Amino acid sequence: MMKNIKKISKNLFVVASLMACLLCMAGVNTQAASKDWSLRYIKGAPGSDQISSWSKSVTTTCGTTTMKVSKVGGGATIMVYTSNGIAALYSGSGSSSVQTTKGTAIYASANFQSTGSSNSYPSGSLTY
């Protein structure tokens, strides 16, 4: 019985080691970078109180780029965009993703397509 347990343990260790080596050789990065973004529309407030757009240039750290919209209110519509293939409109929560190559320089943005009829504080994130 102990021989079988030792043999199974040894085999599991070998398999786990091989998987770790394969992941390292493939350049898989389990820690994707991310940046949060937020916008602000206050009905009737001067332009200096508004945040109507957000943008960032980054270099991808993994094989997928995702733009997430966590919150939209006041009837607003938000446009999210990345230079590697995301272009989407949101009037509520949602996300869009695209496959990419690690180490690719991209540009990402989020802005109001329409502000709606009342105060709005949209937010979300870019995962790259």
Side-chain angles (χ1 to χ4, degrees), residues 1-127:
M1 178 76 158
M2 284 302 284
K3 278 187 174 183
N4 286 341
I5 292 174
K6 285 182 181 182
K7 187 175 182 177
I8 291 171
S9 295
K10 183 178 178 181
N11 287 340
L12 286 175
F13 177 76
V14 169
V15 169
S17 297
L18 285 173
M19 290 299 292
C21 288
L22 288 173
L23 289 173
C24 288
M25 287 188 296
V28 173
N29 184 353
T30 58
Q31 296 290 328
S34 68
K35 300 281 183 191
D36 292 335
W37 58 265
S38 62
L39 307 176
R40 177 177 61 219
Y41 172 73
I42 302 170
K43 186 175 177 149
S48 60
D49 288 345
Q50 315 296 354
I51 302 172
S52 60
S53 64
W54 170 91
S55 64
K56 192 78 175 167
S57 293
V58 298
T59 301
T60 58
T61 62
C62 63
T64 304
T65 301
T66 303
M67 282 293 282
K68 181 178 180 183
V69 178
S70 302
K71 178 176 78 168
V72 179
T77 303
I78 305 303
M79 169 71 159
V80 294
Y81 168 83
T82 64
S83 60
N84 64 338
I86 296 173
L89 292 172
Y90 290 95
S91 55
S93 300
S95 67
S96 294
S97 297
V98 65
Q99 296 299 311
T100 192
T101 303
K102 182 179 174 181
T104 302
I106 64 167
Y107 171 82
S109 66
N111 56 39
F112 282 104
Q113 184 70 26
S114 68
T115 55
S117 58
S118 62
N119 296 350
S120 181
Y121 304 91
S123 62
S125 62
L126 163 67
T127 304

